Structures are given as structure tokens and as C-alpha cells.
Amino acid sequence: MVASTPGQHPPPEQHHPRADAAELRALRARLAALDPAEATNVIERMPNDERAIAFRLLPKGEALEVFENLDPALQSELIDELREETIADLVAGLDPDDRARLFDELPAGLVAKLLSGLSPSERSMTTTLLGYPENSAGRRMTPEVAWLPVDMTAGRAIERLRAYGDAAETIYSVPVLAEGRRVVGVVSLRRLLLSDPATPLGEIMSEPVWAEATDDQEDAARQVREGGFIAIPIVDHESRLVGVLTVDDAMEILEDEEDEDAARSGGTEPLRRPYLSTSLFGLVKARVVWLLVLIVAASLTVGVQSFFEEELDTVVALALFIPLLIGTGGNAGAQAATTVVRAMAVEHVTPGDILRVVGREVLVGAMLGATLATVGFLPAMLVAGAPIAVVLAITVVAVCTLATTAGSAVPLTARKVGVDPAIVSAPFIATIVDTLGLIIYFSVAKVVLGI
Amino acid sequence: MVASTPGQHPPPEQHHPRADAAELRALRARLAALDPAEATNVIERMPNDERAIAFRLLPKGEALEVFENLDPALQSELIDELREETIADLVAGLDPDDRARLFDELPAGLVAKLLSGLSPSERSMTTTLLGYPENSAGRRMTPEVAWLPVDMTAGRAIERLRAYGDAAETIYSVPVLAEGRRVVGVVSLRRLLLSDPATPLGEIMSEPVWAEATDDQEDAARQVREGGFIAIPIVDHESRLVGVLTVDDAMEILEDEEDEDAARSGGTEPLRRPYLSTSLFGLVKARVVWLLVLIVAASLTVGVQSFFEEELDTVVALALFIPLLIGTGGNAGAQAATTVVRAMAVEHVTPGDILRVVGREVLVGAMLGATLATVGFLPAMLVAGAPIAVVLAITVVAVCTLATTAGSAVPLTARKVGVDPAIVSAPFIATIVDTLGLIIYFSVAKVVLGI
């Protein structure tokens, strides 16, 4: 009864481009035994050429639910492989917000054709959503919204919500409107049920927490998460109701943003589709640009080392510790960057805190460096002698301090100037710190060793 | 009306241990103007010594809500600073699951005292929750659960839910029970409202998706997220109802897990409290152990370089490219590790996929390495001559392949043997790759350059 985890179903290991009849029967039987969530998992994990075959084998009622569960990128690929009527049915069956996300992935000509096949009300809802900027709350809200007039009584309100039936996305948290569709409150179905039926809504509604349709979808989703709401109203600039953002969409938005942050923290672009359904080329594409950018940045280290070649020749032992030193700087920088990027993501830190945060990180870096220097001094002295151990100790304090400073200041500054802070995160900062760390190392060595 | 973002309120810049009377008045006025979510944000961001002062200035009704919103670590510190009656009131006002989380942070003696101050029913709910293992669904469920017998009609069910009033956490998604509290279905309040009042629940309930109380809380939360549920029943081993896990608690669980994964991907321990409320010592503590582990691992690079000292002396130019090469390997490994750890977190990949995933990553690494080698060959030749450019090209392909292989195999293996894969992520893998990369580099150089 418990929803399956993907691990319970071994992935199809055969990669035949065309399955034969017996295999098809077996696959059909296997899919029929699964609930839609499980079937989605299985289909997501299939190689691209098998996915459409499996999808066509699904029982009709289940097919729509599985289609809804798939990522827009997979939906759009499936559409390439299905017959026109099937496509029209699937698209008509989607919620307007899911439909808008799918249309983003499809060629404009096909979108126009699919739009023309929708009922006028579905079509108008979809084009409205598509009219909002990408990544805005308006794109992800549902326009199928139940609402109540402020002068209605609790008893009549329940009747009216009943009349909405399944036409509204949620009837548990309902915007209360005054004249001109202005949102003046929100009332929960529970409150309605618990109130005297004669009570006017104005007396039992609560202050609305809303987002504007042009707000960033992540900010709107975070409001849902922080308030523990089932839905929040989405309004236009004059606080008129245009839709609601429900908690399940909010969770999906936040998970997509986590995907993005997690990917960028590792120096790759987010895949925006399940890993196993991503082509090798797709994986390479997500990573190669960053790797090239980072290698170009890292080529500065070659320049720095050439510049200090004389010192290196004089004290060859210095070279031994280069990977260790810059690795440590990179790690300390990655720690600071990860911590600060995450703190910004959950809004524990804002760009306005930059001085306070960087001030703390300078101290933390110095403390970390001092700890490492203390612990490492004796081993370093045994390996390389006291003078070099002194150079290493001083350098490690300087490099750690530099790393935590850069690791905190760079993402905060990025956010301040409107760049996604996750982009300039761990690997990027490690590369900066590598170069500066080498300069510090050789400079300290010159002074301490008198070379 | 829109819920505030923390940035809208400048943080208090004065860090006086004792505020004077005028400051207190100003602070009280400032707090009174905020809604509880805003007040929580402000209080979280205060230095530790000011937090209790500010908290005491909150209007009484608001204090409980703010207290509820705080992380358990901050709650437990506040408790140290408040008077006994206030503490008792606050603790009594918490939901049982929040109370259990707070008790985890408090000394056993204080917990016993606080428990004895609770009403018998609150006390019994709390001790039940505390009896489940840490990080289990049972710890985070709410035992204050509405349920319906399977032989009841829809009309009477609505009356019964009305009678629960605010005593149940949710009445929107309600477990349906047969004899012996066994969960046999779930029915939504919406379905009840839309059905003929005479319909028995057995006909309108849906298949329950549940979790067991001893299941991992993250798995249970993911079921809520994936099914888009408002709540799921939590049952014991005999499928008897013991509580529900609601969507807002599921979101909180998933966010905490994200915090943990994000922190570990950057080689630090999660803070488990807002960044600005963490002491410098707390920040250092979260990072220093990892940094020490990584530096010990990195000291292997010193050994490798000593071993190849002769080759380095013969062709000094080899040293120039060491930071660049191992940096690139580290980056490629971090990319693979981040991608795979994230794919596991969202259950797109399971340990059973290890061969399929590592197979893909070997190819991706080779393709990335080949791209970098192609792009970098000419510049390398101009800087260091053709022979060294050949060494670099071969090495970069080998190192990238090694890095993506390690970056995917290590986290998957970790999960397989029950270790959090995020622990062995980016920085850890970068360090392994550093050492192996150096060995590859010098070995290739020996063969190609004949040294």
C-alpha cells in the first residue's frame, strides 16, 4: 500500500529499439500491476526509445495521470511519438499550469495547433498563464480558483463551494473578494464548517497572505511553505484575484529550485529531467561549459607559477605542498560558499547582511586556518624542515581567511547585482582561491626564506 | 499584506548586552508592528543575548506563534532565559510533534519537569512521539488525528469532522478505519461535501497511501510530496492508525534534509539553525573536522610528488600545470558527485542503478576530457611545447574519466552500505582525484617524455 520507491522495480535492462510481441505483453502486464506513481517511476527510468512504447501500453485512464507526473521535457518528447488524437486528449486533460509548462518546451507551431484544439475556456486560461513572465508566480498558479464574496454568510459559502465541485483546484483555502475582485481576506473550509452558518465571511476571514502574479515563483512558493498554507491567492497589481498557488505546486517549485542550486553548487547546469532519462550528450552539455570556464580561470595558476619559477627552482620543496595548500583553500572556500548560498536560499541571510556575514567569515577563516596550522606544524616540520613549516603555517591561515572571505562575499555580491549566487559557488570560488593562494604562498616564502 | 522578506527590516546593529529603557520601548514598538512571521525573522537574526530580551517584549498571543516558528535549537536557548511559568505556557501551547523536537534539545531533567506540567492527554501524546526512533515518521507525525469509521455515511462524516473542531491537525484528508483502528482508506472533505450524504464512506474513499511510524521521515515526506497529498496516515506494523503527517511538516522535513545535503556537498556539517544565530565557534565546529580530514587526505599529494621528484626536476615545466590539472579533475568529480547525490535525493537514481550510472559517467568523463584536450591543446603547445601538450591532453582525458567514475561510484556505494552519500561528496572526491590524478600525470609524462 505504501507508495513504491523506484528501487523496488528493477529497471529494464534490455535496450532493444523494438520489443517483440511477448515482451510487449509482459511489459503491459507489468505496467497494469502498478499504480500511476509507480508507473511514472518505471517509465521515467526507461531509455528514450522504450518510453513511448511503454506509454502506449498504459490503461487509458492511467495514461493521463502518468503523463501529468512526467517532467515537461519528457512530456514534450513523448508527444513527438504519439498520434494526434492521443496528444489532443492528453493536453486537454492537463491542468492549465502544467499545460503552460509543457507548451514552453514545444515548438510554437505545435503549440498554436494544440491551443486551437482546446475548449475556449481552457484555451483562455492557458494563454493567460503563458502571458506571465517565465519563472513568475503567474506561470505556476492555477486560474481555476474558487472564491467567495465578502458579504456572504458561512452557510451559503459552503453551498457555493460545494457547487464548484471539482472545477476549482482547492476549496480548502478560499480567497474572499470585495468589489472589483479585490482580495480582502482568506477563509478556510474548516473555519466555515465550524462557524455559525449565519456569520458573514467578513467576520471569520483572516488577513490574506498573497503574491503578485509577476513575483518570482520561488518567493511565492516560500510564502506558502513558511506560512504552512494550503494555497495563497495570486493577485495583479491592483490586488485583484487572478489565481491561487497551491501547496503541491509550491513544493514542486521549491524542489526545482533546489535542483538548480544543488547542480550549480557542483559547477554544473541543472538537468531539468530525471538523470537516467538524460542523454549522455545532455550530461556533457550540462557540464562542459563550466569545466571550460573553470579551466580557463585555472590557467592563471600556470601564469603565477611561471612568475615565481625562480623561487621554485631555489626551494624545490615548496612545490610539494602546492596541491595540498590550494586544495585546502578550495575546501574552505567551498564550505563558506555553500553555507552562505544555502542561508540565502532559505532567506536566513539577505544581501543587506553582507558586512555582518563577511565579518564573521573573516574570523571563521582565521580560526580554521589557525587550527590547521597548529595541528599541521609538527608533521610539516618533520617532512620539510622548520623554515618551510613556518611558511606553510602562515600561508594556511592567510589562504583560509581569504577563502572564507571570498566564499561569502562573492555569492552575496552576486545576489546583490542580480546574478544567481549559486552560479558563482564552490568550484568557481575554489579556482579564484587557487590563484590568489599561490601568490600568497610564494610571497610568504620569499619573505620568510629570504629568497 | 505580502509576507515580509527579512531584507525589509534592517537588522539591529547595536550589540549591547543590556538595552536601556528607551531602546526597549523602541524595540517593543517595532515588534508590535510586525506579524508573527516577520517578528520571527527579526528575532532569529538577533545576536543571542538580545533574543530573549526581544522575545519577552512580544505581545502574549504573538509570543507563542513566534516561539513555534523558531528552530528547536533557538527554542531551547530561549528557555534558558525565560521564567518558569512562561516556559510551561509555551511548552503547553506547542503541537505535540514540535514539543517532541524541542525536548530532544533539552536536558533530561528539564524534560521530565515540563512533561509533568502537561495535561495527561498532552503528556501521553508527547511521550508516544518521543518513543519513536529519531528521524522516524513517528517523531514528526501529529497524533491529534481525525478519523472516520468505514461504515459511516458521508453526511454523518461531515458532522463528525465538524465536531472535531480544532482538535485535529487536519480534517481535509481523513483516514477511514475498519475494526481495530486498521486504515482501509482515505477520504477528502471535498469528496464528502460533493457526495450524496447517504453514501457510505466505503464507496467514496480512495486507496490509502501511508507510511509506517518507524519509516524514515524523509521517505514519508517524499510520499506526501510526490502524491500531492495534504496529509498521509501514519500506521504501526499492523496498519493501525497512530497519526498523520501533514504537508507542512513534510515540507519542513524535506527542507531540513536539503539543508543537510547542501551543507555536506560543500564539505561542512549542517548548522541546524539560522546562519546569523550561529556562533562563530559553531561555524568553526561545523567545518573544522572536514577540513582536517581533507587535509590529511590531501597530504597524500605531497607523498606522490616526492615520489616523482626526479621527473619533476628533469622537466620543471610539468610542475606548472599541476594546479590546473588537479583542479580540473576536482571540478569534474564534483560535477558527477553533485549530480548523482541529487538524483538519489529525489529518488531518480537508486543504488541498484550503480552499473548503469557509472557506465554513463565513464563515457561522460571521457567526452568531457576529450573536449578539454581538444580545446586546450593549442594553447598548451604554445606555452609548453608539443611534448608536454601531448602529456597534458592524455592526462586530462584520463583524469576526467577517473573523476566522473569516482564521483558517481563513491556516493552510490556509500548509499548501498548505508552511509549518507552527501558525506562523501564533492570535496572528498576532489581530494581522491587530486592524488590519483598526480600519479596519472607523472606516469603519462614518464612514458611520453621518456624520462
Side-chain angles (χ1 to χ4, degrees):
Chain A
M1 218 72 87
V2 174
S4 79
T5 58
Q8 292 168 352
H9 306 283
E13 290 301 336
Q14 316 86 339
H15 293 204
H16 307 193
R18 286 274 165 257
D20 68 25
E23 275 176 1
L24 282 181
R25 269 196 307 276
L27 183 57
R28 186 197 298 271
R30 187 168 148 231
L31 289 168
L34 304 175
D35 70 34
E38 294 167 331
T40 310
N41 266 329
V42 170
I43 286 184
E44 268 177 2
R45 296 155 58 81
M46 287 182 168
N48 290 341
D49 48 359
E50 284 181 23
R51 200 172 297 120
I53 299 176
F55 187 78
R56 281 194 225 100
L57 295 176
L58 288 172
K60 184 142 193 222
E62 198 159 308
L64 173 61
E65 205 168 331
V66 169
F67 190 77
E68 275 179 347
N69 289 343
L70 292 173
D71 290 88
L74 295 191
Q75 288 175 340
S76 102
E77 285 165 12
L78 258 185
I79 278 195
D80 285 345
E81 306 278 331
L82 298 175
R83 280 177 319 140
E84 229 168 80
E85 311 93 80
T86 322
I87 299 172
D89 282 354
L90 288 173
V91 167
L94 290 177
D95 286 338
D97 53 327
D98 293 334
R99 199 186 291 135
R101 288 177 77 201
L102 168 59
F103 283 4
D104 273 340
E105 300 279 328
L106 296 177
L110 180 55
V111 169
K113 197 166 148 201
L114 290 172
L115 272 175
S116 72
L118 294 172
S119 74
S121 83
E122 291 286 337
R123 183 165 59 235
S124 110
M125 282 191 286
T126 308
T127 50
T128 306
L129 293 190
L130 286 171
Y132 290 109
E134 247 185 286
N135 298 320
S136 67
R139 269 289 176 96
R140 296 296 287 274
M141 72 186 184
T142 171
E144 297 175 301
V145 50
W147 59 272
L148 296 165
V150 66
D151 49 10
M152 199 175 243
T153 61
R156 290 209 32 235
I158 293 174
E159 288 316 305
R160 170 142 170 183
L161 292 181
R162 218 191 274 262
Y164 270 106
D166 288 322
E169 173 101 359
T170 181
I171 58 168
Y172 298 141
S173 172
V174 185
V176 178
L177 307 191
E179 229 170 301
R181 280 183 80 79
R182 273 190 316 106
V183 177
V184 292
V186 167
V187 71
S188 72
L189 180 55
R190 182 200 290 233
R191 190 56 42 223
L192 291 175
L193 278 175
L194 296 184
S195 300
D196 183 309
T199 324
L201 295 187
E203 286 176 24
I204 50 174
M205 69 190 188
S206 49
E207 280 272 286
V209 170
W210 66 43
E212 290 195 12
T214 49
D215 285 352
D216 188 85
Q217 58 180 24
E218 187 179 358
D219 293 340
R222 195 149 281 286
Q223 280 179 274
V224 175
R225 146 94 185 78
E226 283 182 0
F229 300 117
I230 288 180
I232 60 171
I234 305 294
V235 299
D236 67 11
H237 292 303
E238 267 106 48
S239 69
R240 286 179 304 224
L241 184 70
V242 292
V244 291
L245 182 69
T246 51
V247 63
D248 52 323
D249 287 325
M251 284 181 102
E252 202 172 298
I253 291 168
L254 291 176
E255 184 159 304
D256 287 348
E257 299 285 345
E258 302 291 354
D259 273 347
E260 211 175 288
D261 282 1
R264 295 220 165 116
S265 77
T268 106
E269 281 302 299
L271 299 177
R272 307 205 185 283
R273 48 186 297 158
Y275 175 85
L276 288 175
S277 75
T278 311
S279 65
L280 290 183
F281 178 72
L283 291 175
V284 170
K285 210 178 104 192
R287 303 184 195 171
V288 73
V289 174
W290 274 114
L291 223 44
L292 281 168
V293 169
L294 293 170
I295 210 170
V296 169
S299 67
L300 288 175
T301 61
V302 179
V304 172
Q305 288 204 96
S306 309
F307 185 81
F308 288 103
E309 210 162 357
E310 205 177 310
E311 287 78 8
L312 260 178
D313 281 350
T314 316
V315 190
V316 181
L318 284 179
L320 295 183
F321 297 94
I322 288 175
L324 181 138
L325 268 181
I326 65 178
T328 301
N331 290 333
Q335 289 179 329
T338 306
T339 306
V340 169
V341 167
R342 180 70 190 160
M344 277 196 279
V346 296
E347 296 189 348
H348 284 159
V349 159
T350 63
D353 296 316
I354 186 162
L355 291 182
R356 215 171 142 198
V357 172
V358 174
R360 291 163 66 94
E361 288 297 330
V362 170
L363 295 175
V364 169
M367 286 157 81
L368 288 171
T371 311
L372 296 183
T374 310
V375 173
F377 190 78
L378 196 66
M381 204 174 81
L382 295 175
V383 171
I388 289 196
V390 171
V391 172
L392 289 173
I394 297 174
T395 306
V396 87
V397 176
V399 165
C400 283
T401 311
L402 167 75
T404 52
T405 309
S408 53
V410 173
L412 280 161
T413 311
R415 170 67 75 90
K416 209 161 200 162
V417 300
V419 173
D420 180 352
I423 284 190
V424 289
S425 60
F428 187 83
I429 281 159
T431 307
I432 304 177
V433 171
D434 281 2
T435 306
L436 295 177
L438 280 174
I439 297 178
I440 295 176
Y441 183 39
F442 290 120
S443 307
V444 172
K446 276 182 84 156
V447 172
V448 174
L449 306 179
I451 48 180
Chain B
M1 216 74 81
V2 174
S4 80
T5 57
Q8 292 169 352
H9 307 281
E13 291 301 336
Q14 317 86 341
H15 294 204
H16 307 194
R18 287 272 166 259
D20 67 24
E23 275 176 2
L24 282 182
R25 269 196 307 277
L27 183 55
R28 186 196 298 272
R30 188 168 148 231
L31 289 168
L34 303 176
D35 69 36
E38 293 168 331
T40 309
N41 265 330
V42 169
I43 286 183
E44 267 177 3
R45 297 155 57 81
M46 287 184 167
N48 292 339
D49 49 358
E50 283 182 23
R51 199 172 301 122
I53 300 175
F55 186 79
R56 280 194 225 100
L57 294 176
L58 287 172
K60 184 142 190 222
E62 196 157 312
L64 174 61
E65 204 168 332
V66 168
F67 190 76
E68 277 179 345
N69 290 344
L70 291 173
D71 290 86
L74 296 191
Q75 288 175 340
S76 103
E77 285 165 14
L78 258 184
I79 279 195
D80 286 345
E81 306 277 331
L82 299 175
R83 279 176 321 139
E84 232 168 80
E85 312 93 81
T86 321
I87 298 173
D89 283 354
L90 288 174
V91 168
L94 288 178
D95 286 338
D97 53 325
D98 292 334
R99 199 187 292 135
R101 290 178 75 202
L102 168 59
F103 282 4
D104 273 340
E105 302 277 329
L106 295 177
L110 180 54
V111 168
K113 197 167 148 197
L114 290 172
L115 271 174
S116 73
L118 292 172
S119 75
S121 81
E122 291 285 338
R123 183 164 61 235
S124 114
M125 284 191 286
T126 307
T127 51
T128 306
L129 293 187
L130 286 171
Y132 290 108
E134 248 187 281
N135 298 319
S136 68
R139 269 291 176 91
R140 296 296 286 273
M141 72 186 185
T142 170
E144 296 175 302
V145 48
W147 60 273
L148 296 166
V150 65
D151 50 9
M152 199 174 241
T153 61
R156 291 210 30 236
I158 293 174
E159 286 318 304
R160 172 143 167 181
L161 293 180
R162 218 191 273 262
Y164 271 105
D166 289 321
E169 173 102 358
T170 181
I171 57 168
Y172 298 141
S173 173
V174 185
V176 178
L177 307 192
E179 231 170 298
R181 279 184 83 80
R182 273 190 315 107
V183 177
V184 291
V186 168
V187 70
S188 71
L189 180 55
R190 182 201 287 231
R191 189 56 43 220
L192 291 175
L193 278 175
L194 296 183
S195 301
D196 184 308
T199 324
L201 294 188
E203 286 176 23
I204 50 174
M205 69 189 187
S206 48
E207 280 274 285
V209 169
W210 66 42
E212 289 194 14
T214 50
D215 286 352
D216 188 87
Q217 59 180 23
E218 186 178 359
D219 294 340
R222 194 149 284 286
Q223 280 179 270
V224 175
R225 146 92 185 79
E226 281 181 2
F229 300 117
I230 287 181
I232 61 171
I234 305 294
V235 299
D236 66 12
H237 292 303
E238 267 106 49
S239 68
R240 286 179 304 223
L241 184 69
V242 292
V244 290
L245 182 69
T246 51
V247 62
D248 52 325
D249 287 325
M251 287 180 100
E252 203 172 297
I253 291 168
L254 291 176
E255 184 159 303
D256 287 349
E257 298 285 344
E258 302 290 356
D259 273 347
E260 212 174 288
D261 282 1
R264 296 222 165 115
S265 78
T268 106
E269 282 302 299
L271 300 177
R272 309 207 182 279
R273 47 188 297 158
Y275 176 85
L276 288 174
S277 76
T278 311
S279 66
L280 289 183
F281 177 72
L283 291 175
V284 169
K285 210 178 104 193
R287 301 185 196 171
V288 74
V289 175
W290 274 115
L291 223 43
L292 281 168
V293 169
L294 293 170
I295 210 170
V296 169
S299 66
L300 289 175
T301 60
V302 179
V304 172
Q305 288 203 97
S306 309
F307 186 82
F308 289 103
E309 210 163 358
E310 206 179 309
E311 287 77 10
L312 259 179
D313 280 350
T314 318
V315 190
V316 182
L318 283 179
L320 295 183
F321 296 94
I322 288 175
L324 178 137
L325 267 181
I326 64 177
T328 300
N331 290 332
Q335 289 180 328
T338 307
T339 305
V340 170
V341 168
R342 180 69 189 160
M344 277 196 278
V346 297
E347 296 188 347
H348 284 160
V349 159
T350 64
D353 296 316
I354 185 164
L355 291 182
R356 213 169 144 197
V357 173
V358 174
R360 292 163 65 93
E361 289 296 332
V362 170
L363 295 175
V364 169
M367 286 158 80
L368 288 171
T371 311
L372 296 184
T374 310
V375 173
F377 190 78
L378 195 65
M381 203 175 81
L382 294 176
V383 171
I388 288 195
V390 170
V391 172
L392 290 173
I394 296 173
T395 307
V396 86
V397 175
V399 165
C400 283
T401 311
L402 166 76
T404 53
T405 309
S408 53
V410 173
L412 280 160
T413 310
R415 169 67 73 91
K416 209 160 201 164
V417 301
V419 172
D420 181 351
I423 284 188
V424 288
S425 59
F428 187 82
I429 281 159
T431 307
I432 303 177
V433 172
D434 282 2
T435 305
L436 295 178
L438 280 174
I439 298 178
I440 294 176
Y441 183 39
F442 289 121
S443 307
V444 171
K446 276 181 84 157
V447 172
V448 173
L449 306 181
I451 47 178

